[in-house]
Amino acid sequence: KHLRHQLRQLGSFARLNGTTPAMQELFRQVEVAAPSNASVLISGASGTGKELVARSIHDLSPRRHAPFIPINCSAIPATLLESELFGYERGAFTGAIKTKEGCFELANNGTLFLDEIATMALDLQTKLLRILENGRFRRVGGKEELQADVRLIAASNVKFEDAIRDGLFREDLYYRLNVFQLSLPLLRDRRGDIPLLAQHFVDEMARKNQKQVNSIHPDAMACLKNYSWPGNVRELKNTIERAVIVARE
């Protein structure tokens, strides 16, 4: 714990980086939430690092030796999401030639991360609520009830309160999940972290692309610090990767 505190002061905590007050407070909240089995809600704009925060919570938890299973609810058609989450039995539908385990079974004793949960259909949210209450579920087309011990972390790029108001998210599911709620800052609201993040990505991308690049010119750094970064940390990472690849010296 003492070593983690020292690293945190230097701007490195689990999979996260930052020295600004906003990030130091986020590190503190993650450190408090991680050792428990409680559900966590993460809200933040696209590119702010919601999955990294979820993985950091898992890495610091007693479940760290069990699987971390991420799934993006918005990337899977509504008709397929139920079978992805709960699995299906052979013959449950056309093409189901064998039984398939779902994410809840795969994440047993570990952590399931549901990204963009506010895009999940309301009827599926009802089934999710039941699992959270008793840990039991059925595969699609199955009759047998199965049990899973899973810690759930959910994220959305819209505020959960707004999603409830717009009828996109069940209020009872929100209250069941909302033991800890973390809100991630925009990169433009933590500009003091840009030099640290940029150098971190330079080191990472230089190794990845076998390039002899080890620093950023002060003029280039000034440009990075003055830009608004609508794509947040993900945009900064992609920008640095391209710069490392095209750099000649």
Side-chain angles (χ1 to χ4, degrees):
K1 185 175 181 180
H2 179 65
L3 289 171
R4 280 206 304 269
H5 177 73
Q6 285 185 307
L7 282 170
R8 193 168 73 187
Q9 297 300 110
L10 294 171
S12 178
F13 183 76
R15 297 171 183 258
L16 309 170
N17 292 281
T19 58
T20 56
M23 290 304 292
Q24 291 293 310
E25 175 60 20
L26 178 63
F27 296 166
R28 188 192 68 79
Q29 293 176 356
V30 167
E31 193 169 31
V32 170
S36 74
N37 285 312
S39 301
V40 179
L41 290 180
I42 304 172
S43 60
S46 179
T48 51
K50 295 185 289 294
E51 184 171 337
L52 277 180
V53 172
R55 287 185 181 273
S56 297
I57 293 171
H58 175 75
D59 290 346
L60 295 171
S61 77
R63 297 173 179 264
R64 59 187 172 275
H65 300 299
F68 175 89
I69 305 294
I71 184 168
N72 189 324
C73 299
S74 66
I76 301 173
T79 52
L80 298 178
L81 185 56
E82 182 176 1
S83 59
E84 282 292 321
L85 288 174
F86 309 132
Y88 55 80
E89 296 289 349
R90 178 182 177 185
F93 49 82
T94 302
I97 58 175
K98 63 179 182 179
T99 297
K100 179 180 181 295
E101 293 180 331
C103 290
F104 272 94
E105 288 177 84
L106 296 174
N108 191 35
N109 296 317
T111 303
L112 177 60
F113 174 56
L114 299 181
D115 198 6
E116 306 304 346
I117 192 175
T119 64
M120 183 184 291
L122 291 173
D123 61 334
L124 195 51
Q125 291 182 29
T126 303
K127 295 180 180 180
L128 182 60
L129 180 62
R130 182 173 180 272
I131 293 178
L132 290 171
E133 289 173 347
N134 59 26
R136 304 190 70 82
F137 65 97
R138 291 187 181 89
R139 296 184 185 132
V140 175
K143 297 180 180 179
E144 179 187 0
E145 272 203 330
L146 303 173
Q147 185 86 27
D149 175 16
V150 173
R151 183 186 196 174
L152 192 64
I153 302 178
S156 174
N157 63 5
V158 298
K159 291 183 178 180
F160 286 97
E161 294 83 357
D162 293 342
I164 293 169
R165 184 196 62 217
D166 296 338
L168 300 174
F169 199 67
R170 289 181 61 104
E171 190 170 14
D172 49 0
L173 178 57
Y174 170 76
Y175 288 123
R176 182 64 182 80
L177 287 171
N178 189 27
V179 181
F180 284 97
Q181 185 168 175
L182 308 178
S183 182
L184 306 193
L186 301 172
L187 183 55
R188 65 172 174 264
D189 293 334
R190 44 181 288 229
R191 291 180 188 273
D193 287 332
I194 290 175
L196 178 69
L197 290 167
Q199 186 61 53
H200 170 75
F201 292 139
V202 165
D203 296 339
E204 178 184 337
M205 297 309 166
R207 288 193 303 269
K208 176 181 176 182
N209 296 285
Q210 289 87 49
K211 298 281 287 189
Q212 297 297 316
V213 178
N214 55 32
S215 62
I216 300 173
H217 192 281
D219 291 344
M221 183 63 77
C223 290
L224 296 178
K225 292 170 71 174
N226 290 327
Y227 180 58
S228 62
W229 300 108
N232 294 294
V233 180
R234 182 185 296 127
E235 184 183 4
L236 174 62
K237 181 177 181 179
N238 292 342
T239 299
I240 295 296
E241 181 169 22
R242 182 182 182 279
V244 168
I245 290 171
V246 302
R248 295 184 178 181
E249 58 180 339

